[in-house]
Amino acid sequence: MPYATLCLLWMAALLLGCQSSPRLPAESQSLNGHWRFQPQVAVDAAPAQPEFDDSHWPEIRVPGNWSSQGFDTQGAHWYRTRFQWQPQSQSAGQRLWFEGVDYQAEIWLNGQYLGQHRGYFGAFYFDVDTELKPGANLLAVRVDSPLESQQGDSWSLHKTLIKGVLGHHDTRAGGAWSDRGQERNTGGIWGRVWLQPQGEVRLNSQRWHSQIDADLSRGQWQLSYVSEQQHLGEWQLSLTPVNFQGQAETWRQPGQLPAGDGQVTLLIPEAKRPLWWPRERGAPNLYRLQARFISDGQTLLHSQQTVGFRSIDYDGQLGRWSVNGQPLFLRGTNYIAHQFLSQANESLLLQDLQLMQQAHINVVRVHAHLLPQRFYDLANRMGMLVWQDFPLQWGYQDSDAFHRDAQRQLAEMVNQFHHHPSIITWSAHNEPPWDADWMRYRYQDYHPKQNEQLDLALYQSLRRLDPHRPSFALSRTAEHPWYGWYSGHWTDYGAPAKEKLITEFGAQALPDAPVLYQLLKAPADWPALPDDWSQWQYHNFQPHETFELAGIDPGPNVLSLIDNTQRYQQTLTRFAAESYRRQKYQPVGAIFQFMFVEHWPSMNWGIVDYRRNPKPGYQALKQAYQPLLPSIMHHRDRFSRHEPVPLPVVIINDHLYTLPGSQLTLTLHQGDVVVDHRQQQLHIQPDSVLALAPFPNRPLTPGRYLARATLHDDHGRHLASSQFTFEVQP
């Protein structure tokens, strides 16, 4: 069967397997569904008690963010649900799980206070052995997601909620700096809720780490637990292939579980196993790792996790990333899937990841927030690398209380997401004040050292919590050049780069006319340009940057503006991406376009609109990101008939194999006429950049031209191609 057909069948099977929500653990009881919701701000604790009458409250779906269900509110609100429960004789107790609540939750079961959790992304639980009762039960949750802007004029420099782009960002409803920038609050019980039976020994957390040595791999699995008494018994371990054909491995070893809070480390012995690879380098081989502790014929502890064997390394001196010891140039994008995490379902995430891989993107920067676990599960299975930011965006308080909260949530992030082989790095803070000199012009109370100690402490925690991944204290402003949008000109991307990591570059472009028409709610004067841009600005359009800095011509109407912004984004995206790729390891080792998709009905930097329609910028990135690229381009697309046209030709090979006897064909078309044709035999080295003589490098008669570069292997099979259009003027 042809390889392309196999890939299509594999992706179809993956899609069919991801239509429903991820399965809850075996024997668990789901508490999802329709709950009662208090739409008014909570003012007392009466709804925590079972006898409270909530029959007049409207219903709300759990999981779900409240704004996504028509409740345009913020602050503290009550959720209540009634459910039936019957005990199982084989279980010693029950654990109540929440996958995610934005932002602070306080929980009562049958009127008994269980506790609270702060932070939008983390899963949390309570043991409810005494509070849960056979028959009818009442669960009440007070969810508080306040507005930060209530704190004063400079609130955005001193934020207290660790929500990243979900709380304050250019791509939020209203943007980052307007009076409406805090609308469409993301609060609510966005994740699943369930009851999980517990044995006498209860698992609290687990940590996985793999090591690669030549072609051998080994692993270390650390389980933290609590036990009422000491137990002697036997560990039974198994390692079973999940997404490939292979033999399961099993082990038995004696063990003991001391009473109280304990920790045990289980070692997976060294062996030759299929490794987890990004799709560009091989197969993303995954295993189901299971452990059972058996004592007197009973299973006292059972744990399982999906893992992969892989290693990650970053050489900061050379700017070079390696996966399993093999170098890999990172061709990335920034990504926010949806403003409301409950809406980022498996189908949406899979569609986005497929579009990314079709555009030859091999790494995703989850930009200043965390996505649900289902995203990382998909990335694992699809072989997509992930750069993971902690949800700190711009400025925050420097109080001791905030620093402690940030440390706690950072540990929560690493502990809950560390096992995903797709995640290759952590970054603590995006553009913090101490590295963002531009803030001095926006805030009167700006301090150049703000959040520096916070970020350095978070970085040390990342190094301690996960010493096996590269970590960064921040994503630096210098790594976000933004030429042609916030400063300079798009041709400045052609200058020699100074940074090894380019983690943001891009430009805005409007969506196509039908999408924009619907987004603006069918304006009566369509397609006339507006006299007042405020509605557009609410949907993230930046008129100053578009017209004054980028110099985009609005044209006579909206249709021409759409075309002009899309062509500008297309030109800038391709030129920047290819310019940085031409500087591979000299000094650039990774690039991240900003950004992939518009995550709400907006008109921002996405190369895919919020309805998942690719813009021309997507096609530009797809061409520029080909692993094998015959790059032919210029920073100009207009020349005089009296000057030569020197289009630089560079062969970029990100593959790790040699291409001997390759044939490069360069053709120059003027309309249907071929005015130049050249062929050249090349020996293309692995992981290389090869600069060739400019083409056609001579004066041309006036007209429109298309230059095409095509590579074939030594058997005449097509490998890659690119093209560049330009005009010669009289």
Side-chain angles (χ1 to χ4, degrees):
M1 184 178 293
Y3 177 73
T5 304
L6 283 172
C7 287
L8 289 172
L9 290 174
W10 174 73
M11 292 305 294
L14 181 60
L15 177 60
L16 289 172
C18 294
Q19 291 300 310
S20 59
S21 296
R23 293 179 181 175
L24 292 174
E27 300 180 349
S28 63
Q29 178 178 340
S30 173
L31 302 183
N32 298 337
H34 288 88
W35 294 34
R36 293 290 183 176
F37 178 71
Q38 182 195 54
Q40 303 301 318
V41 175
V43 294
D44 59 49
Q49 301 307 313
E51 62 271 14
F52 180 84
D53 181 12
D54 60 16
S55 60
H56 59 290
W57 288 4
E59 290 187 336
I60 194 170
R61 291 189 308 277
V62 171
N65 301 83
W66 57 49
S67 292
S68 68
Q69 302 183 62
F71 296 99
D72 187 10
T73 187
Q74 67 279 326
H77 297 272
W78 283 101
Y79 286 74
R80 285 166 54 96
T81 187
R82 293 174 174 82
F83 64 93
Q84 295 288 323
W85 176 79
Q86 294 298 328
Q88 301 176 14
S89 58
Q90 66 269 30
S91 64
Q94 293 284 322
R95 181 168 283 179
L96 174 64
W97 274 97
F98 291 82
E99 182 185 11
V101 179
D102 185 350
Y103 179 74
Q104 180 163 313
E106 295 180 273
I107 296 94
W108 287 259
L109 181 59
N110 296 321
Q112 300 298 309
Y113 183 68
L114 300 181
Q116 62 88 32
H117 179 268
R118 181 177 172 86
Y120 86 87
F121 64 83
F124 59 95
Y125 63 83
F126 300 96
D127 288 323
V128 292
D129 302 350
T130 58
E131 296 83 2
L132 192 65
K133 62 183 183 180
N137 290 265
L138 187 285
L139 177 61
V141 184
R142 184 180 185 269
V143 178
D144 189 6
S145 181
L147 291 185
E148 300 232 43
S149 56
Q150 295 172 346
Q151 299 174 6
D153 292 339
S154 63
W155 66 269
S156 60
L157 184 61
H158 307 283
K159 299 189 291 290
T160 61
L161 306 182
I162 301 175
K163 295 175 67 166
V165 298
L166 302 184
H168 178 219
H169 196 240
D170 298 298
T171 63
R172 286 210 76 241
W177 314 111
S178 76
D179 293 337
R180 302 185 65 186
Q182 286 282 286
E183 293 186 11
R184 301 200 182 189
N185 186 278
T186 59
I189 304 176
W190 65 261
R192 299 167 298 165
V193 185
W194 70 95
L195 284 168
Q196 175 70 31
Q198 297 295 302
E200 183 180 335
V201 179
R202 305 187 181 200
L203 181 69
N204 288 338
S205 66
Q206 49 187 331
R207 298 292 302 274
W208 164 257
H209 165 59
S210 64
Q211 291 179 283
I212 310 300
D213 185 9
D215 60 348
L216 299 177
S217 63
R218 61 183 182 273
Q220 180 176 296
W221 197 15
Q222 191 176 82
L223 305 178
S224 297
Y225 67 91
V226 60
S227 179
E228 297 177 3
Q229 61 184 25
Q230 177 172 302
H231 296 280
L232 299 178
E234 177 187 68
W235 285 102
Q236 297 180 0
L237 286 86
S238 65
L239 187 67
T240 307
V242 171
N243 58 350
F244 68 99
Q245 296 295 321
Q247 293 295 319
E249 301 176 61
T250 59
W251 304 272
R252 293 173 179 262
Q253 61 188 61
Q256 61 176 322
L257 298 177
D261 292 331
Q263 185 173 283
V264 62
T265 299
L266 304 173
L267 300 179
I268 306 303
E270 190 172 70
K272 186 174 183 179
R273 301 181 180 92
L275 304 180
W276 186 93
W277 292 95
R279 195 182 74 161
E280 187 171 320
R281 288 284 186 262
N285 298 303
L286 295 169
Y287 299 82
R288 181 172 295 105
L289 180 60
Q290 294 193 74
R292 296 180 184 273
F293 186 80
I294 311 295
S295 180
D296 295 330
Q298 291 187 335
T299 299
L300 299 185
L301 186 150
H302 174 223
S303 179
Q304 70 175 29
Q305 199 164 61
T306 300
V307 301
F309 292 88
R310 69 103 183 90
S311 65
I312 295 293
D313 185 59
Y314 174 61
D315 187 328
Q317 295 297 317
L318 298 177
R320 187 171 303 190
W321 293 83
S322 298
V323 181
N324 299 333
Q326 296 188 0
L328 180 65
F329 186 87
L330 301 187
R331 304 183 305 275
T333 189
N334 286 263
Y335 182 54
I336 307 172
H338 204 286
Q339 184 68 20
F340 305 118
L341 294 186
S342 60
Q343 303 294 99
N345 57 39
E346 290 81 359
S347 296
L348 181 78
L349 296 169
L350 178 62
Q351 181 182 11
D352 288 348
L353 286 167
Q354 287 176 322
L355 283 169
M356 291 178 197
Q357 291 191 329
Q358 290 165 14
H360 312 294
I361 291 167
N362 59 22
V363 60
V364 182
R365 180 187 175 199
V366 181
H367 185 89
H369 73 302
L370 281 102
L371 285 166
Q373 292 279 3
R374 52 185 173 264
F375 167 78
Y376 306 93
D377 291 337
L378 278 172
N380 295 341
R381 293 162 61 184
M382 296 177 68
M384 177 64 78
L385 301 175
V386 176
W387 171 303
Q388 183 56 60
D389 285 354
F390 186 58
L392 292 181
Q393 172 74 23
W394 298 324
Y396 293 84
Q397 277 191 4
D398 262 328
S399 66
D400 290 342
F402 181 82
H403 284 217
R404 288 193 299 271
D405 195 26
Q407 288 283 1
R408 179 190 60 79
Q409 293 198 40
L410 184 90
E412 196 171 51
M413 174 185 75
V414 175
N415 288 333
Q416 294 189 19
F417 293 85
H418 73 93
H419 65 283
H420 295 288
S422 55
I423 296 178
I424 61 170
T425 189
W426 312 105
S427 182
H429 199 154
N430 187 51
E431 292 187 4
W434 62 276
D435 185 65
D437 187 64
W438 57 267
M439 291 187 185
R440 70 173 63 250
Y441 306 106
R442 182 169 290 279
Y443 300 108
Q444 291 184 350
D445 58 342
Y446 170 76
H447 190 281
K449 293 293 185 180
Q450 183 179 336
N451 294 160
E452 183 175 20
Q453 292 305 312
L454 166 69
D455 295 342
L456 295 179
L458 293 175
Y459 172 66
Q460 293 301 323
S461 294
L462 286 172
R463 295 282 302 273
R464 174 179 53 84
L465 291 167
D466 190 355
H468 309 294
R469 282 184 178 91
S471 297
F472 299 92
L474 72 162
S475 184
R476 298 170 49 233
T477 303
E479 299 166 1
H480 311 158
W482 284 109
Y483 299 132
W485 196 254
Y486 292 121
S487 67
H489 192 269
W490 66 266
T491 57
D492 294 338
Y493 283 112
K498 299 179 181 179
E499 301 294 331
K500 298 178 178 65
L501 301 173
I502 305 297
T503 47
E504 293 180 25
F505 69 91
Q508 286 194 349
L510 297 175
D512 289 337
V515 176
L516 184 61
Y517 180 79
Q518 185 180 45
L519 184 154
L520 295 171
K521 302 194 185 311
D525 58 349
W526 180 270
L529 293 170
D531 296 323
D532 179 4
W533 294 98
S534 58
Q535 184 187 9
W536 292 52
Q537 289 174 293
Y538 176 77
H539 291 276
N540 304 146
F541 181 70
Q542 295 183 337
H544 173 67
E545 287 77 7
T546 299
F547 304 129
E548 303 299 326
L549 298 181
I552 298 174
D553 180 9
N557 55 40
V558 169
L559 302 181
S560 62
L561 180 58
I562 292 171
D563 184 59
N564 292 343
T565 60
Q566 289 188 353
R567 284 193 292 108
Y568 185 83
Q569 185 191 59
Q570 179 184 36
T571 300
L572 182 149
T573 299
R574 183 192 172 190
F575 184 79
E578 293 198 27
S579 294
Y580 286 133
R581 291 197 64 198
R582 290 169 181 235
Q583 300 176 70
K584 180 163 71 169
Y585 311 143
Q586 300 293 328
V588 182
I591 58 176
F592 292 81
Q593 172 268 340
F594 186 98
M595 67 184 344
F596 187 71
V597 67
E598 291 161 346
H599 58 91
W600 74 288
S602 56
M603 45 183 99
N604 61 46
W605 296 264
I607 55 174
V608 176
D609 70 33
Y610 78 98
R611 290 197 174 278
R612 273 48 186 182
N613 302 303
K615 303 176 187 177
Y618 173 86
Q619 301 301 331
L621 195 73
K622 181 177 181 179
Q623 175 172 297
Y625 271 14
Q626 295 174 90
L628 177 64
L629 173 65
S631 175
I632 179 169
M633 52 176 274
H634 201 282
H635 69 275
R636 294 165 54 191
D637 61 1
R638 289 181 175 86
F639 299 88
S640 165
R641 65 176 299 176
H642 303 295
E643 62 178 326
V645 179
L647 302 183
V649 181
V650 177
I651 310 301
I652 305 164
N653 183 20
D654 287 349
H655 297 302
L656 294 184
Y657 49 79
T658 304
L659 293 163
S662 300
Q663 180 171 281
L664 172 67
T665 302
L666 298 172
T667 55
L668 184 65
H669 302 259
Q670 186 179 26
D672 296 330
V673 179
V674 176
V675 297
D676 204 336
H677 178 85
R678 304 180 192 180
Q679 289 186 326
Q680 183 177 354
Q681 293 293 321
L682 301 174
H683 186 84
I684 302 174
Q685 296 290 340
D687 198 28
S688 64
V689 177
L690 176 63
L692 305 176
F695 170 80
N697 208 26
R698 60 184 175 86
L700 299 169
T701 60
R704 297 285 301 174
Y705 290 85
L706 184 148
R708 188 187 303 275
T710 306
L711 275 173
H712 292 85
D713 66 11
D714 52 356
H715 296 290
R717 291 172 296 207
H718 179 270
L719 295 174
S721 61
S722 68
Q723 62 186 41
F724 181 76
T725 58
F726 62 93
E727 182 180 359
V728 175
Q729 299 175 327

